[in-house]
């Protein structure tokens, strides 16, 4: 019986994993330069945490959580990173130690969505959360950091959209204005949108259904009903982005699918077409009420999450897996142990070494060394070892030398150094 991975969950094999690592190291470097430190929280949390923060009426909580029960406790695999991070912040009373906290995380998230290109049931996010700063300078700094990160990853065809949802009062006012527009059109809405109309009308702005798109046409813009303080916050964010020369577009229809947002919202999409319909590379925004609603301090927060799979689909192809510098080919028996010793010595000196201890013929070993694009192949035959020497084949220069075992490391280092200098 053969087993397959669970629907919508992927293996990431060597050869592919190098691109993940390249992304991860660029992400870490970028956010650490901006003062973020890594936090690692559990993949399983209490289901109630997501109901309270991600929101009961969100698609994610309503339909997409992987849930399980253990000893009477209802748990869920995290569908996103923000609630767990906020819970950890509150549980650790981190605010008592510092006024502003910048955290980042990388890891798997789980949503039972219909899988397609760029949309999986286990996917990975890299995200940041910033606690204790009400912006708008921090908001501009985060958006600008993300524009820089994508540029560094070679992703240049992007669309940056921003919006403001205002605070509770602005949103209540907007809700009424939007309902005033949508109620007379209720019959034209999709079934799903009609059900949402009274509990979460803003989400209809997000709908991709052509009936809903037509109904929201001409709807009032939230930006027109923002309270003066919210409007000023958004104006200052925009002027900070303008001052930085960071590109963005205003999108008053941007609402995003999570309940906790207020004020600043942003989403970056790929315009290259390589992602098809799942082109949202990252999304985020302000969620000033979450810490308090989780029993923590009344501190503002802002953050984002980016889908690593989607970033990789948008990233230009890079180098394949790095080739070993040295291929060690022991020819049977005693030579295998000498091969182990030699490979260990080279690796300790920081040289990428592949040992093939299977004991094949010289021809097959050389073929394997070639296929791996190794620079040098060390042939350890019984007779050479009896004389205390090793044959070194320079596969690029097509040369062969015999070197005493004691001088092997120095010789390999010198040859590799010379080749490096040539390239
Ligand atoms: P989100 O928009 O739900 O926000 O997800 C962020 C990103 O995760 C998306 O833009 C997308 O790239 C990726 N993503 C989401 N679902 C999938 C999926 N099924 N397969 C592949 N990629 C996916 C959040 O999760 C918020 N926690 C962001 C945030 C942090 N807001 C404040 N802080």
């Amino acid at each position: 019986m053969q087993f397959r991975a669970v629907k919508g969950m992927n293996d990431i094999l060597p050869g592919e994993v190098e691109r993940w690592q390249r992304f991860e190291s660029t992400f870490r470097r970028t956010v650490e330069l901006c003062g973020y430190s890594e936090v690692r929280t559990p993949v399983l949390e209490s289901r109630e945490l997501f109901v309270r923060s991600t929101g009961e009426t969100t698609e994610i909580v309503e339909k997409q959580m992987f849930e399980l029960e253990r000893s009477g406790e209802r748990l869920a695999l995290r569908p996103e990173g923000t609630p767990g991070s906020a819970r950890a912040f509150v549980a650790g009373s981190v605010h008592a130690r510092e006024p502003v906290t910048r955290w980042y995380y990388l890891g798997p998230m789980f949503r039972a969505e219909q899988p397609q290109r760029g949309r999986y049931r286990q996917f990975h996010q890299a995200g940041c959360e910033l606690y204790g700063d009400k912006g708008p300078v921090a908001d501009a700094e985060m958006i600008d950091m993300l524009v820089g990160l994508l540029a560094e990853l070679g992703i240049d065809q992007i669309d940056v959209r921003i919006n403001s949802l205002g605070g509770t009062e602005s949103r209540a006012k907007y809700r009424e204005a939007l309902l005033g527009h949508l109620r007379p059109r209720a019959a034209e809405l999709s079934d799903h949108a009609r059900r949402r109309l009274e509990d979460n009308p803003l989400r209809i702005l997000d709908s991709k259904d052509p009936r809903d798109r037509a109904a929201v046409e001409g709807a009032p813009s939230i930006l027109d009903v923002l309270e003066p303080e919210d409007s000023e916050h958004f104006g200052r964010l925009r002027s900070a982005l303008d001052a930085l020369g960071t590109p963005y577009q205003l999108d008053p229809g941007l609402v995003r699918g999570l309940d906790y947002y207020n004020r600043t919202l942003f989403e970056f999409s790929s315009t290259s077409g390589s992602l098809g319909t799942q082109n949202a590379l990252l999304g985020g925004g302000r969620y000033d009420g979450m810490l308090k609603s989780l029993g923590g301090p009344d501190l503002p927060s802002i953050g984002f999450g980016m889908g690593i799979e989607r970033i990789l689909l948008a990233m230009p192809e890079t180098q394949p897996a790095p080739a070993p510098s040295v291929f060690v080919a022991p020819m049977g028996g005693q030579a295998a142990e000498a091969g182990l010793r030699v490979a260990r010595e080279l690796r300790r000196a920081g040289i990428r070494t592949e040992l093939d201890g299977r004991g094949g013929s010289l021809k097959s070993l050389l073929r394997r060394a070639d296929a791996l694009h190794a620079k040098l192949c060390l042939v350890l035959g019984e007779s050479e070892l009896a004389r205390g020497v090793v044959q070194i084949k320079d596969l690029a220069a097509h040369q062969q030398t015999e070197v005493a075992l004691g001088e092997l490391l120095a010789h390999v280092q010198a040859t590799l150094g010379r080749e490096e200098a040539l390239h």
Side-chain angles (χ1 to χ4, degrees):
M1 158 123 184
Q2 272 199 10
F3 291 98
R4 288 166 185 248
V6 174
K7 177 177 175 183
M9 308 204 176
N10 302 305
D11 300 313
I12 306 159
L13 302 181
E16 206 185 326
V17 100
E18 290 73 14
R19 298 186 81 228
W20 284 73
Q21 290 167 340
R22 189 180 149 228
F23 164 77
E24 285 160 11
S25 65
T26 307
F27 178 82
R28 283 178 193 280
R29 196 177 56 246
T30 304
V31 302
E32 284 174 7
L33 278 173
C34 292
Y36 288 85
S37 308
E38 184 173 1
V39 64
R40 300 186 186 191
T41 64
V43 166
L44 267 182
E45 296 275 359
S46 121
R47 178 183 186 278
E48 189 60 21
L49 173 67
F50 302 113
V51 171
R52 286 243 231 123
S53 47
T54 310
E56 208 155 3
T57 63
T58 62
E59 201 87 10
I60 300 176
V61 171
E62 266 181 358
K63 300 196 197 121
Q64 300 175 344
M65 290 213 293
F66 284 91
E67 297 178 21
L68 61 101
E69 206 173 305
R70 181 89 204 175
S71 313
E73 212 181 349
R74 291 184 73 185
L75 306 171
L77 283 171
R78 61 181 182 193
E80 55 144 342
T82 308
S85 177
R87 182 201 48 69
F89 180 86
V90 172
S93 299
V94 181
H95 70 285
R97 296 199 291 276
E98 54 193 22
V100 175
T101 299
R102 294 170 187 249
W103 279 355
Y104 76 87
Y105 50 83
L106 293 148
M109 307 290 159
F110 303 84
R111 296 183 194 176
E113 302 199 72
Q114 209 41 49
Q116 66 181 79
R117 184 175 172 79
R119 194 210 266 163
Y120 311 101
R121 290 188 161 191
Q122 173 174 303
F123 62 99
H124 297 76
Q125 275 186 353
C128 285
E129 311 293 351
L130 165 49
Y131 306 109
D133 189 326
K134 65 182 187 337
V137 171
D139 310 24
E141 185 190 22
M142 183 173 278
I143 293 170
D144 185 60
M145 172 180 87
L146 287 165
V147 169
L149 171 62
L150 294 196
E152 197 169 335
L153 293 168
I155 303 176
D156 45 15
Q157 289 170 277
I158 56 161
D159 207 22
V160 177
R161 287 170 300 126
I162 65 169
N163 191 23
S164 174
L165 280 184
T168 322
E169 280 168 41
S170 301
R171 234 179 9 268
K173 246 169 57 187
Y174 182 59
R175 191 188 135 89
E176 286 317 308
L178 186 61
L179 280 173
H181 174 87
L182 288 176
R183 275 199 193 113
R185 295 170 174 79
E188 300 151 34
L189 292 172
S190 67
D191 293 347
H192 186 243
R194 208 171 316 114
R195 280 199 304 275
R196 303 231 95 155
L197 191 55
E198 299 300 327
D199 67 4
N200 204 345
L202 267 68
R203 289 300 319 280
I204 300 175
L205 296 174
D206 237 6
S207 168
K208 300 224 162 67
D209 191 298
R211 289 168 291 179
D212 303 335
R213 299 242 51 86
V216 298
E217 189 108 349
S221 160
I222 184 144
L223 297 177
D224 295 334
V225 301
L226 286 183
E227 292 288 301
E229 272 190 18
D230 295 328
S231 186
E232 194 207 327
H233 190 277
F234 194 50
R236 285 179 55 210
L237 161 63
R238 291 178 56 190
S239 63
L241 290 175
D242 292 338
L244 287 165
T246 310
Y248 67 88
Q249 289 167 27
L250 281 189
D251 180 0
L254 175 67
V255 289
R256 302 201 12 82
L258 306 151
D259 277 357
Y260 47 65
Y261 290 121
N262 66 299
R263 291 195 165 167
T264 310
L265 278 187
F266 55 88
E267 202 162 275
F268 290 27
S269 339
S270 160
T271 54
S272 73
S274 62
L275 277 132
T277 52
Q278 302 304 312
N279 65 351
L281 295 170
L282 68 94
R286 200 156 264 296
Y287 52 101
D288 295 331
M290 190 188 291
L291 295 179
K292 187 155 182 251
S293 78
L294 296 178
D298 188 5
L299 282 178
S301 318
I302 183 169
F304 69 86
M306 60 179 28
I308 303 183
E309 285 83 354
R310 295 189 191 176
I311 293 282
L312 295 180
L313 285 169
M315 236 165 81
E317 285 301 326
T318 44
Q319 296 296 312
S325 299
V326 178
F327 186 84
V328 180
M331 310 275 300
Q334 294 288 306
E337 285 164 21
L340 279 169
R341 263 198 310 279
V342 165
R344 186 174 64 183
E345 185 186 4
L346 294 175
R347 289 169 185 152
R348 282 188 179 160
I351 297 168
R352 186 181 282 272
T353 304
E354 174 122 352
L355 169 68
D356 194 330
R358 293 174 302 166
S361 68
L362 180 59
K363 201 169 152 206
S364 70
L365 286 168
L366 285 174
R367 210 180 301 127
R368 177 82 184 127
D370 250 345
L372 288 171
H373 304 294
K375 297 199 178 77
L376 302 179
C377 179
L378 309 191
V379 181
L380 280 66
E382 301 262 352
S383 63
E384 280 98 345
L385 287 172
R387 290 191 287 122
V389 296
V390 178
Q391 298 286 341
I392 303 186
K393 286 183 183 291
D394 189 325
L395 298 173
H398 301 288
Q399 283 169 359
Q400 180 165 331
T401 358
E402 194 173 277
V403 178
L405 264 172
E407 286 155 28
L408 181 63
L409 176 61
H411 187 92
V412 166
Q413 279 172 324
T415 315
L416 291 176
R418 218 168 25 246
E419 296 209 346
E420 208 100 285
L422 283 175
H423 290 99

